[in-house]
Every structure is written in C-alpha cells, then in structure tokens.
Amino acid sequence: MLNQTVVIVGAGHAGAELAHALRKEGFEGRVVLACDEPHFPYQKPPLSKDYLKGGGGEPLLLKAEALYEKMGIELKLGARVAEIDRDDRSVRFEDGESLGYDHLVLATGARNRRPPVPGLDDPAVMELRGLDHCRTILSRTPELEHVAVVGAGFIGLEMAAFLREKGKVVDVVEMADRVMARAVSETVSDWFLALHLRMGTKVHLNTGVTGVRHEGAGALVDLSDGGSLKAGAVLLAAGVVPNVEIARQAGLEVADGIVVDEMLLTADPAISAIGDCAFFPSAYTGGSVRLESVQNANDQARAVARRLTGNPAPYTNLPWFWSNQGPARLQIAGLSTGYDEAVLRGLPADDKFSVFLYRQGRLVAVESVNAPGDHMAARRIIERGVPVPPEAATDLSTDLKALAKG
Ligand SMILES: Cc1cc2nc3c(=O)[nH]c(=O)nc-3n(C[C@H](O)[C@H](O)[C@H](O)COP(=O)(O)OP(=O)(O)OC[C@H]3O[C@@H](n4cnc5c(N)ncnc54)[C@H](O)[C@@H]3O)c2cc1C
C-alpha cells in the first residue's frame, strides 16, 4: 500500500511520529495528519516541567514546522474528526468535510478524567493536558497564593513541586493511601511523599474531594474527612480517560481504550490505534494494557509505520517512563503489574536508589530515583531477559551495565 492514503487522527506524540516514520520507511502515498488542537504538534511532558518553569513562550515542537511540507505530510489543524464511516472508508470532520482513507490510524490520546464531584465546572478549577491549559495555569499562577491539587499521580505531583518552587501554599488531596499508588512500589511512594512534605506541600492521603464551592476569587474544596480547603485555584489531576468515542461510534471494540491486537490493528483491518488511546496485548504482563507514555506513543507509531510499509511484526517494545518532581528524577523500566518481590539497590536515605521488582522470580520492572545509570541498564536487562537474581541486584558491586551488554 506504499502509494495509498493514510489518515491519522490526532497529532500528539503518536500521530506526529507516525506521519514522519511512514516517510522514513519509504511510504509514498498521501499522509494526512488531522488534529483538533490548533497548534503545531508539540511535546507534552515539558508542559509540567521545563516549559512551565521557563514561564511559557513557544512550546517545544515534536518536529520542526518546515519538515511537514518537506516530507509531504498534510497537516490539518483545528480539525476534529466527528465520525468514521467504515463502509465508505472515510472520516467526517466536524465542519462537514469528508476524507477517504485506505488505512486509518486512531491516535486520539486521552483527556483528563473528571470525577463525579459537584462544582468541578467552577472557574477556579484548572487542568493540565494541553498547551492551552498550561498557558491558563501560567497566566493565573502569579495571582494565586494557595492551590489545591486533586490527585497525587505524576502530573499532580509535578505541578505541586512547581507551585511550591513558586512559593505557593499547596495541598494535594489523594483518595489512595499513598502517592502514585497505581504506578510505583511502596518504597518509591514513601520516598516521594517525604520529598513533597520536605518541599512544604501538605498531602492529604485517604481523602476524597466531595465538592467544590465558589468562594470569592477562588473556591472552597470540601473533603471526605469533613474538612475543607480554601484555595485560589483547584488543579484537577485525577488521571485520564482515553478518547475512544469515534471508535465506539464506528462499532469498534472498546475496553480501557480502543482494542487492538499485537500488531496494533483493530478488528477492522483498515484501522489501527496507537498511543494513549490504544488497549493492546502486552508482551510483558500476559494481558492487555493501555499505557500513557511518550515511549509507548513513539514506539507504537514506528511499529505501525513499519507494518504499513511491508514489515509487519508484533509490538513488543519494553515500556519505560520518567517523571521529574522538584529536584528528583524518577525513571521506570518495565511494568510492575503483579510483582511479588521488591528489593533495593542503594539506599532511599541517600536520595539515590532503585527498586527491582520481580514476579515469580523474573525481573519485571526497575524504578530508579536519581539513578539514571541503573535505569538505562535495567531497560536492556529486562528487554533481553538477562537473569539478575535479587541478591545480585542489591549488591552494589554487581556491574549492571556489563550485565546489560552481556
Ligand atoms: C502535562 C503532561 C506531562 C507528561 N509527562 C510525561 C513524562 O514525563 N513522561 C512520559 O513518558 N509521558 C508523559 N506524559 C504523557 C505523554 O505526553 C502521553 O503519553 C503522550 O502525549 C501520548 O501521545 P498520544 O499521541 O497518544 O496522545 P496525545 O499526545 O494526547 O495526542 C492526541 C491528540 O489527538 C487529538 N484528538 C483527540 N480526538 C480527536 C479527534 N476526534 N479529532 C482530531 N483530533 C483529536 C487530541 O486533542 C490530541 O491533540 C505527560 C502528559 C502530560 C499531559
């Protein structure tokens, strides 16, 4: 299908990477990259990190503007796909325009989850997913004294650290009994909780937000423990939900994301799904997962580009992730789902350590705090299935880099 038409819906990390990867793989047909956002495709992680700290300006682009024209990629910005017509093999945009495809790739990403809490539509409530959100936060930050962050996941905590560095009073409210509970081991949760407390953030664990009430220029945030917080703004960071609506409406199977097989194909051989919106069989857990990471978006895009240019292979890339919170860098290699043993390499008290996580004796994930060398080695070790018994992992004289190479 080297000279057919590929339409990509969503120009985030996955969509933009796919468009360019198709050209690199020799695809000569038409490539249309359509996105509802009006901005040139930009990088999202800096929105809670360097872009925010730098005070805004132009975002870091995913690819230089000139490359789209040079690579013959038709970019349709501010163009929301409202419907897929699978019989006709076309998509219909919100403005009524239709566009035919030979292959359609859904790279629609995710949006912030809005828990069923009264008052979340109050103007004091902010969120962070895209550039416009980030610009709103930046424009409001100077006037704020106190911010309540709902959710102690990666983004909630990155934002809490940023706001503390700006001298704001910060309360983080989290339903779970520890921070980043869905994603990291207890040791890493505990270390980051201590870090945020040291930075002066108040963290309310085992606590839900039951309502937001407008008050003056800000809001009163009601908590499940009966208390309430008076804040100039509320930052909603309670996780995301995948953008699956157009897939569902087209009759494609949807679970925690658009269901695809190990080739990242839906049940319709003319439609693939990649990135934050895709629910795919993981080579590392034995079940299907949906991941929210730049690595996943990029690697799935490249896998689909190879398939569409005649080199199909099951998607098996090792997941990895990072998060910067204040002075700390967390890096995760692998997926810890169902781990039954955790051992430490280095000491949390030294602010530099890794947690090696095993499932039935097999190393499945490594979480590294301020230990980039461990992380890089762990990625190769897990990918290659190099055996590293727990005793060897904890022994600092074990040369992980050498093991990774071997
Ligand atoms: C603030 C922030 C910080 C992050 N930090 C990290 C980090 O440190 N490390 C990391 O690995 N990951 C991080 N992530 C996650 C990472 O950015 C996502 O995993 C990645 O963006 C997923 O790429 P994607 O292309 O699947 O989705 P997205 O980047 O969300 O792009 C999807 C695009 O599709 C558009 N779209 C949706 N529906 C339609 C439609 N019907 N028609 C047209 N367009 C549509 C959306 O508006 C969006 O522009 C962060 C995310 C955020 C928001």
Side-chain angles (χ1 to χ4, degrees):
M1 60 166 302
L2 284 180
N3 50 19
Q4 296 188 325
T5 296
V6 174
V7 173
I8 305 164
V9 186
H13 285 260
E17 180 62 30
L18 172 61
H20 290 269
L22 278 168
R23 290 293 183 232
K24 272 187 222 140
E25 297 292 335
F27 185 80
E28 289 164 359
R30 192 173 174 204
V31 178
V32 184
L33 179 59
C35 195
D36 55 6
E37 290 194 65
H39 311 289
F40 247 84
Y42 59 90
Q43 300 190 24
K44 290 212 162 69
L47 299 182
S48 53
K49 304 178 184 68
D50 290 352
Y51 179 80
L52 194 67
K53 286 184 191 157
E58 288 310 308
L60 209 54
L61 296 181
L62 284 162
K63 308 279 176 192
E65 239 175 273
L67 264 189
Y68 291 85
E69 203 182 322
K70 191 170 163 212
M71 301 290 251
I73 295 163
E74 293 173 46
L75 196 52
K76 281 176 76 70
L77 297 176
R80 181 171 183 75
V81 169
E83 208 172 16
I84 304 166
D85 183 336
R86 286 169 56 195
D87 295 333
D88 186 44
R89 291 210 174 167
S90 66
V91 293
R92 188 179 58 74
F93 289 89
E94 229 165 33
D95 67 2
E97 187 198 336
S98 276
L99 179 64
Y101 62 80
D102 295 297
H103 198 84
L104 177 68
V105 183
L106 301 174
T108 49
R111 60 180 180 274
N112 286 325
R113 193 172 77 81
R114 297 185 80 79
V117 168
L120 286 185
D121 51 356
D122 191 277
V125 179
M126 308 189 294
E127 59 175 312
L128 177 57
R129 175 74 197 176
L131 182 58
D132 294 337
H133 294 140
C134 188
R135 287 181 167 155
T136 302
I137 292 171
L138 276 169
S139 70
R140 292 197 53 196
T141 302
E143 87 209 19
L144 297 172
E145 281 174 20
H146 188 164
V147 181
V149 177
V150 182
F154 295 116
I155 291 179
L157 293 180
E158 288 183 7
M159 291 302 296
F162 163 75
L163 291 163
R164 280 302 301 145
E165 282 164 358
K166 290 277 168 205
K168 313 295 172 187
V169 176
V170 181
D171 281 88
V172 174
V173 184
E174 168 58 52
M175 295 251 281
D177 59 359
R178 58 190 182 89
V179 303
M180 300 181 287
R182 275 192 316 130
V184 301
S185 64
E186 276 183 40
T187 308
V188 169
S189 276
D190 291 349
W191 189 88
F192 273 92
L193 174 63
L195 170 77
H196 287 280
L197 295 177
R198 256 191 338 261
M199 290 184 77
T201 298
K202 284 178 223 149
V203 183
H204 308 251
L205 297 173
N206 301 302
T207 310
V209 170
T210 55
V212 174
R213 286 178 286 147
H214 197 73
E215 156 116 349
L220 268 178
V221 181
D222 294 325
L223 305 179
S224 57
D225 63 8
S228 65
L229 301 166
K230 190 171 186 307
V234 180
L235 183 80
L236 186 63
V240 299
V241 291
N243 292 322
V244 297
E245 288 71 15
I246 54 171
R248 182 182 284 130
Q249 161 273 326
L252 296 171
E253 191 185 351
V254 166
D256 176 28
I258 303 165
V259 175
V260 291
D261 63 14
E262 73 283 2
M263 308 300 282
L264 308 171
L265 251 188
T266 67
D268 181 334
I271 306 181
S272 305
I274 54 175
D276 278 17
C277 69
F279 186 67
F280 67 98
S282 162
Y284 295 90
T285 65
S288 280
V289 295
R290 189 179 64 76
L291 298 178
E292 295 153 18
S293 76
V294 167
Q295 168 280 322
N296 183 63
N298 282 339
D299 286 348
Q300 292 195 336
R302 291 175 199 135
V304 168
R306 286 193 295 272
R307 165 159 56 77
L308 295 178
T309 50
N311 291 304
Y315 177 75
T316 58
N317 292 53
L318 181 81
W320 56 265
F321 183 81
W322 80 96
S323 169
N324 300 345
Q325 298 174 27
R329 184 166 176 84
L330 167 67
Q331 291 166 294
I332 304 172
L335 290 179
S336 60
T337 322
Y339 76 87
D340 49 34
E341 185 177 3
V343 299
L344 265 174
R345 180 178 176 84
L347 292 175
D350 292 340
D351 294 341
K352 180 181 171 175
F353 65 99
S354 293
V355 182
F356 282 59
L357 299 163
Y358 295 82
R359 188 171 59 235
Q360 293 167 357
R362 208 177 112 232
L363 182 65
V364 290
V366 175
E367 302 164 342
S368 300
V369 176
N370 300 326
D374 286 2
H375 172 72
M376 291 313 292
R379 269 162 55 176
R380 300 187 69 167
I381 285 171
I382 301 172
E383 211 161 35
R384 294 173 173 196
V386 178
V388 181
E391 322 73 81
T394 53
D395 182 351
L396 289 177
S397 68
T398 302
D399 185 345
L400 292 180
K401 207 169 159 189
L403 278 177
K405 278 190 191 144

